[in-house]
Amino acid sequence: MNYRYSLSGMALAALVFAFTLYPKEINYQKKESLLIYTLVDMLQQLHFSPIDLDDEFSAVVFDDYIKRLDNRKHFLLKSEVEGLREYRLLLDDEARHGTFEFFDRSVISIENGINRAEEIFNKVIEEDFSFDEYETIELDGDKYDFASTEEELVNFWRQRIKYDILNRASRQIKRQKDEDFDDEVKTNEELLEDARTKIKSNYEKRFDNLKRNRRVDWFSTYVNSMVNLYDPHTGYFKPKDKQDFDL
């Protein structure tokens, strides 16, 4: 094992531990500033393969962070991402100076996007879908762009929900044809309605989980976009996660 690599891991663990013990009267911005500054400094000095804190670093962190926030492009509009893109080459400067203008804006954007997507979902899931039309949907987020308008976003959600309902219903139809199937046989219409009910429940739980995210959760995502740039096996746990992991 490389000694510097091992040392960086121990130093990172020590930093996270110290972060949990930081006095509560110190506001979160000072805590975050200290953590970012110290973390980047440690990784540059102790990691076996240091990375320069420059525009290239900033661009890679930005791209990774946006992908982590909205990998399937369910929440953000293209204009919102472009607004954040103004900071794409400035994240190294913010890390040095302990400022979080980009991060603050990103949290507002993603939380607003999640609330908007939930409203869209709640309307679309109640629509009468036509399953006789031929449609295609791309599921790989890397192969399509963010929606340019809210209308496009609504259409994406409509296609996605329709796909999820059909996919689940088709699996149940196939299951009913198995020789060992001994449950109640339902019509296609009944299976589609059952699928809609299940999909609705799944998404409601997902939105509930997303809306429980606090600033510290988004901050953990942001920090890991930096940390994983140095090494994919090095990660930052927010204090509660660190405690759970240690258990």
Side-chain angles (χ1 to χ4, degrees):
M1 178 181 291
N2 188 295
Y3 178 71
R4 291 186 78 186
Y5 178 81
S6 177
L7 183 59
S8 71
M10 290 187 292
L12 179 59
L15 173 62
V16 173
F17 179 70
F19 188 62
T20 65
L21 299 181
Y22 219 81
K24 291 184 178 180
E25 60 269 19
I26 302 299
N27 68 50
Y28 66 85
Q29 290 176 326
K30 289 184 178 179
K31 289 183 180 181
E32 292 170 352
S33 178
L34 174 67
L35 183 104
I36 289 287
Y37 179 84
T38 308
L39 179 64
V40 170
D41 184 64
M42 276 195 318
L43 289 172
Q44 284 187 298
Q45 294 190 40
L46 300 177
H47 203 276
F48 73 95
S49 181
I51 296 175
D52 291 333
L53 200 64
D54 54 16
D55 287 352
E56 182 178 355
F57 165 91
S58 182
V60 174
V61 170
F62 175 90
D63 292 343
D64 182 76
Y65 177 60
I66 294 298
K67 190 170 185 177
R68 289 171 187 253
L69 284 185
D70 193 6
N71 183 38
R72 293 186 176 180
K73 303 179 174 72
H74 284 178
F75 309 121
L76 299 174
L77 293 177
K78 188 174 184 178
S79 59
E80 294 164 344
V81 176
E82 290 304 313
L84 295 174
R85 194 175 296 278
E86 297 173 9
Y87 298 87
R88 189 169 184 265
L89 302 182
L90 300 177
L91 303 190
D92 55 318
D93 300 310
E94 291 206 343
R96 289 193 192 93
H97 300 142
T99 56
F100 295 94
E101 186 175 339
F102 163 73
F103 174 68
D104 291 340
R105 285 188 59 177
S106 75
V107 172
I108 293 172
S109 294
I110 190 61
E111 289 182 344
N112 288 343
I114 289 170
N115 289 332
R116 175 177 56 213
E118 184 178 31
E119 291 179 6
I120 293 172
F121 171 80
N122 287 335
K123 292 178 181 178
V124 172
I125 191 65
E126 302 299 335
E127 292 182 3
D128 292 326
F129 294 106
S130 172
F131 296 104
D132 297 325
E133 301 174 5
Y134 176 78
E135 293 183 87
T136 61
I137 181 173
E138 176 58 66
L139 300 177
D140 185 349
D142 291 332
K143 294 182 179 180
Y144 58 87
D145 203 353
F146 290 92
S148 296
T149 64
E150 188 165 328
E151 183 180 358
E152 284 186 18
L153 190 61
V154 170
N155 186 58
F156 169 79
W157 273 99
R158 183 176 290 110
Q159 287 187 319
R160 178 72 211 205
I161 294 169
K162 187 175 180 179
Y163 167 82
D164 288 341
I165 291 173
L166 277 173
N167 190 42
R168 182 175 181 84
S170 64
R171 292 201 306 268
Q172 291 302 107
I173 291 172
K174 183 177 179 181
R175 182 168 169 264
Q176 286 188 164
K177 294 179 180 179
D178 291 343
E179 293 182 2
D180 57 350
F181 181 80
D182 57 0
D183 205 347
E184 176 190 359
V185 175
K186 297 184 178 182
T187 64
N188 289 354
E189 290 73 18
E190 290 173 325
L191 291 175
L192 284 169
E193 193 55 38
D194 286 350
R196 183 199 297 263
T197 299
K198 184 62 177 178
I199 295 301
K200 181 178 181 180
S201 175
N202 289 344
Y203 272 103
E204 286 174 344
K205 291 175 183 177
R206 183 186 178 203
F207 279 117
D208 284 343
N209 288 333
L210 285 170
K211 290 167 69 175
R212 287 194 188 101
N213 280 347
R214 299 167 297 156
R215 181 184 176 90
V216 67
D217 299 297
W218 300 121
F219 185 69
S220 177
T221 300
Y222 183 47
V223 171
N224 276 312
S225 290
M226 295 185 181
V227 172
N228 292 159
L229 180 58
Y230 287 87
D231 184 84
H233 304 295
T234 301
Y236 165 75
F237 292 94
K238 65 180 186 290
K240 180 63 169 63
D241 286 347
K242 175 66 167 58
Q243 293 171 7
D244 293 343
F245 182 77
D246 289 343
L247 293 178

